[in-house]
Amino acid sequence: QSSVNKALYDKMTITDITGKLVIKEQKVILDGLIMNMLSGKLLVSGVYFTPEGAIPDFDFKMDIKDFDLPTAYQSLGTIRHFLPVAKESTGAFNSVISLNGKLGNNYAPILSTLNGAGLLMGKNVELNEANLFKEIGKYFRKDLFKQVKVNDFTTNFIISDGGLIVSPFNTNIAGQDVTISGKQTVTKNIDYRIDFKVNKADLSEEVNNYIGLVPGAENISKYPLGINLGGTLDKPEVRVDLTEARKLVETE
C-alpha cells in the first residue's frame, strides 16, 4: 500500500501518491493509484511488465482530471506528439483512456507502439496566435483567430500505432459553430476536416465577393464553409471548400 508525498518524474513533480502496488512475475500491477500532477489529478490502474530479454511494456487505464494544457505540453512527450497545439494554448482537459504500448530505455513510451481509445474533454481552452489558425484565418476577417476561445467540448478518439483518429465533435471556435473530425499518423501527417457555420460578417472580403457573385447571397447571414487540413502538424496545408456555401446560395 503506497503513500508517497512527493516524486519527480523527469522534470515533472507528482505529489500525494496513494494506492496499491503488487509486484509479481516480473510485473508491477497498479491498483487504483491516485496522484496529483499537472495542476490536476490522475487515477491509474494497470500493468507494467518487464519480461526478461524483451522491451518493457504497459497496459494502463487512466482517468485524468483537470490537467493544465501548457504544463502538460512541457512535461509529457505524448502530449507534444498528439496535441502540439497545446503549446500555444491555455485551459485544461479531462480524459478517460485505455492505453498500451512499449517503453524505451528512458522509460518514455515508444510512440509507434501506442494503441488505445478514450474520451477527451476540453475546458476553458484558448489558443493564442496558433500557427494552424493563422492559415485558416486567411479566409476570415482580420484578427478573428489571433486569440481563439474554444467552447468546452467532448470527443471520442482512437490511438492506433501512434496515430490518432478523432471522431466528429461539435464546438464553437472564435464565435463560429464548427464540427471537427480527422486523423493523424505517428509521423505527424494529418487529414482533418473542419466544417464551419460562419457569420457572413466574419468572412474575408475575398470569400464574400466569391460567394456574392451568386444571386441569392444577400439573403443569407451564415454560410457553411469547409476547411481541409493536410500536410503535417508542423506545416499544415489549408484548403477551403465553398461547395456547400454555393449550393445554399443557389437554392435561395
Side-chain angles (χ1 to χ4, degrees):
Q1 189 69 32
S2 67
S3 179
V4 180
N5 291 331
K6 184 177 180 181
L8 196 64
Y9 177 76
D10 196 5
K11 297 179 181 179
M12 181 172 57
T13 300
I14 306 171
T15 61
D16 299 327
I17 305 169
T18 59
K20 187 177 180 181
L21 291 172
V22 178
I23 300 175
K24 66 177 183 179
E25 298 173 354
Q26 299 175 315
K27 296 177 181 178
V28 178
I29 301 168
L30 313 180
D31 186 0
L33 211 64
I34 300 174
M35 62 196 76
N36 295 326
M37 56 187 286
L38 303 176
S39 300
K41 190 178 291 288
L42 172 66
L43 171 64
V44 57
S45 296
V47 179
Y48 167 57
F49 185 32
T50 59
E52 187 173 352
I55 299 173
D57 59 25
F58 68 94
D59 189 347
F60 289 162
K61 291 183 179 179
M62 295 173 284
D63 189 348
I64 294 167
K65 299 288 188 186
D66 297 325
F67 273 16
D68 180 69
L69 268 171
T71 307
Y73 177 88
Q74 294 296 333
S75 304
L76 298 174
T78 48
I79 297 297
R80 291 194 292 273
H81 173 68
F82 289 117
L83 292 174
V85 73
K87 180 182 180 181
E88 300 151 322
S89 70
T90 60
F93 69 95
N94 296 341
S95 184
V96 179
I97 177 173
S98 295
L99 186 66
N100 63 76
K102 296 186 179 297
L103 296 177
N105 292 333
N106 58 354
Y107 295 99
I110 300 172
L111 295 174
S112 61
T113 69
L114 294 180
N115 291 281
L119 192 69
L120 177 69
M121 294 150 277
K123 298 175 61 180
N124 302 317
V125 175
E126 286 194 21
L127 306 175
N128 301 310
E129 298 192 14
N131 288 329
L132 176 62
F133 282 101
K134 286 181 182 178
E135 292 298 314
I136 295 175
K138 294 177 181 178
Y139 303 103
F140 294 80
R141 64 176 171 81
K142 190 177 180 181
D143 294 334
L144 183 65
F145 290 117
K146 187 173 183 179
Q147 188 166 6
V148 181
K149 180 175 175 56
V150 181
N151 281 17
D152 293 356
F153 64 86
T154 300
T155 182
N156 292 291
F157 64 87
I158 295 171
I159 296 173
S160 178
D161 297 329
L164 180 67
I165 303 168
V166 179
S167 298
F169 68 95
N170 301 318
T171 185
N172 184 288
I173 297 177
Q176 317 299 322
D177 294 326
V178 300
T179 301
I180 302 173
S181 63
K183 60 185 178 180
Q184 62 195 56
T185 68
V186 68
T187 55
K188 294 188 177 183
N189 292 305
I190 61 174
D191 181 12
Y192 280 101
R193 171 80 178 194
I194 306 177
D195 286 302
F196 285 89
K197 290 183 179 177
V198 187
N199 302 316
K200 185 176 182 179
D202 289 329
L203 285 168
S204 70
E205 184 178 357
E206 181 182 4
V207 173
N208 264 317
N209 288 341
Y210 175 76
I211 300 175
L213 293 174
V214 182
E218 66 278 2
N219 300 321
I220 298 173
S221 60
K222 276 195 172 187
Y223 290 127
L225 182 145
I227 296 289
N228 294 309
L229 298 176
T232 68
L233 285 168
D234 298 323
K235 291 186 178 180
E237 297 172 0
V238 178
R239 300 186 308 277
V240 65
D241 180 3
L242 296 171
T243 305
E244 294 303 315
R246 288 185 64 88
K247 285 181 181 178
L248 177 63
V249 170
E250 288 167 357
T251 60
E252 288 295 314

